Amino acid sequence: MRRLVFLGLAVVSTIFALAIAPVWSQVSEQPLRIVFPFAAGGSGDALARLLAENLRTGLNRNVIVENVTGAAGRIATRQVAGAAPDGNTILITPIAPVAVYQHVYKDLGYDPIKDLVPISQVAAFEFGLAVGEKVPVKTLKELVDWVKANPKLASYGSPAAGSLPHFFGVLFGRAIGAELVHVSYRGSAPAIADLAGGQIPIVVTTTSDLLAMHKAGRIRILATSDSKRSPLVPDVPTFREAGYNIEGAAWYGLFAPAKTSSAIVERYAKILSEAVKTPDVKERLLKMGLYATGTTPAEFGKIQKTDSERWAPAVKASGFTPEK
């Protein structure tokens, strides 16, 4: 009887192996392409290349990172959404192209929920609100009082119009009941330079970009946007801790084209989530201003939908359209 059971299990195992063999042979025939929607350089590109190393080892196959730029990440995302669902092409992207842009653009050319399959969220980061030395405040409450007392000076800068820091500034303005005028810059560096020079009173951008000037005493970070304090500035409260019920963290995650085999998605997710949780990778990410996460596909799908719903009101309230 035991022999029959053993033989039966052996037959089932053989059938399963034969069933998935075509999938894996198809996957391993060519290099795995990780498409990153922005130019080489910067923390996102460094993250993509770090993960490529781990996938190369975990899958024992060639893995390449391909920078596909243009249209604020939409070209690359559209390309992956339309790729064959064979496991040979995946996307690593920040939050905006897959959870925010559907509220900004009338026609993306892809549906981030229907045309892509979440693999894993691998890293998170938050935004900080900072003031320059000429603004006589040391806490967020004092800043709110200053804004209301000086409405003509109530403006804030962000790295770009239509960026998440832009929209988070809108959330902050709504939370305090003030009309904050948005000033768009071409990146964080010029915005922070103007903040330190006194040309603009407030800047919202990634905490990591604000860190050097904050440590030098040239600017002051008053609050950070995640649900918990930033490990980069643990002495700085979150907006919620400061009494304002707003939150707006961001992240990087990987996606595959819709209809990609769940076996492939789960295997990639396991390798990636385990990799980012190792002490070495966590330390390397923190130096980039990123916090290692590592989720299952199901967990990441929930995060994507929740964050899409979170940012929709801010986008609408901003009145931003690509034409403006």
Side-chain angles (χ1 to χ4, degrees):
M1 182 65 180
R2 289 183 179 177
R3 181 177 176 80
L4 289 174
V5 171
F6 177 79
L7 289 173
L9 290 173
V11 169
V12 170
S13 298
T14 303
I15 292 172
F16 179 74
L18 290 172
I20 67 170
V23 174
W24 291 116
S25 63
Q26 185 183 32
V27 165
S28 60
E29 282 177 0
Q30 57 184 283
L32 169 61
R33 291 171 61 234
I34 301 179
V35 177
F36 180 63
F38 300 99
S43 59
D45 181 67
L47 172 63
R49 296 177 191 281
L50 176 60
L51 296 178
E53 292 176 15
N54 286 278
L55 281 171
R56 188 177 296 117
T57 302
L59 297 171
N60 192 29
R61 64 178 293 199
N62 290 330
V63 181
I64 60 172
V65 175
E66 186 174 330
N67 300 88
V68 179
T69 62
R74 302 193 308 281
I75 291 175
T77 308
R78 190 182 306 130
Q79 183 183 110
V80 175
D86 54 13
N88 290 318
T89 303
I90 60 176
L91 174 76
I92 180 168
T93 179
I95 179 176
V98 290
V100 181
Y101 284 172
Q102 61 265 51
H103 309 302
V104 177
Y105 298 93
K106 292 180 180 179
D107 183 16
L108 280 178
Y110 62 91
D111 184 317
I113 302 297
K114 294 180 180 179
D115 297 337
L116 294 166
V117 177
I119 298 175
S120 181
Q121 183 205 70
V122 288
F125 59 99
E126 81 289 302
F127 309 113
L129 181 148
V131 296
E133 292 180 288
K134 294 182 180 180
V135 182
V137 305
K138 292 185 178 179
T139 68
L140 199 61
K141 177 63 172 60
E142 290 176 356
L143 176 64
V144 172
D145 293 340
W146 181 85
V147 164
K148 292 182 176 179
N150 300 274
K152 292 183 179 179
L153 300 178
S155 63
Y156 73 99
S158 83
S163 64
L164 262 65
H166 171 194
F167 297 140
F168 191 81
V170 173
L171 287 178
F172 178 59
R174 293 178 72 191
I176 66 175
E179 189 71 30
L180 299 177
V181 176
H182 175 247
V183 179
S184 175
Y185 284 83
R186 292 187 175 183
S188 293
I192 295 169
D194 274 3
L195 182 68
Q199 283 78 38
I200 194 165
I202 304 165
V203 162
V204 179
T205 189
T206 59
T207 307
S208 57
D209 284 343
L210 296 166
L211 192 59
M213 283 287 198
H214 173 77
K215 287 184 174 180
R218 299 286 307 282
I219 64 174
R220 293 186 294 279
I221 302 174
L222 301 183
T224 55
S225 68
D226 203 353
S227 59
K228 55 186 179 298
R229 291 197 179 197
S230 168
L232 299 177
V233 282
D235 57 326
V236 174
T238 67
F239 281 85
R240 288 190 188 279
E241 287 178 322
Y244 301 95
N245 191 30
I246 55 174
E247 182 182 318
W251 40 257
Y252 283 96
L254 289 100
F255 293 82
K259 299 182 181 179
T260 299
S261 161
S262 60
I264 294 172
V265 171
E266 292 288 349
R267 187 176 182 190
Y268 290 175
K270 186 174 187 296
I271 293 170
L272 292 164
S273 61
E274 289 178 355
V276 298
K277 291 174 183 175
T278 62
D280 175 60
V281 174
K282 287 174 73 173
E283 184 178 350
R284 290 171 71 178
L285 292 181
L286 190 58
K287 289 179 180 178
M288 302 178 202
L290 301 173
Y291 321 131
T293 52
T295 69
T296 66
E299 289 169 341
F300 189 25
K302 290 178 182 178
I303 292 169
Q304 181 191 15
K305 291 178 181 177
T306 298
D307 282 351
S308 178
E309 293 168 359
R310 186 197 311 278
W311 287 106
V315 174
K316 184 177 180 180
S318 74
F320 173 78
T321 63
E323 293 77 25
K324 289 187 177 182

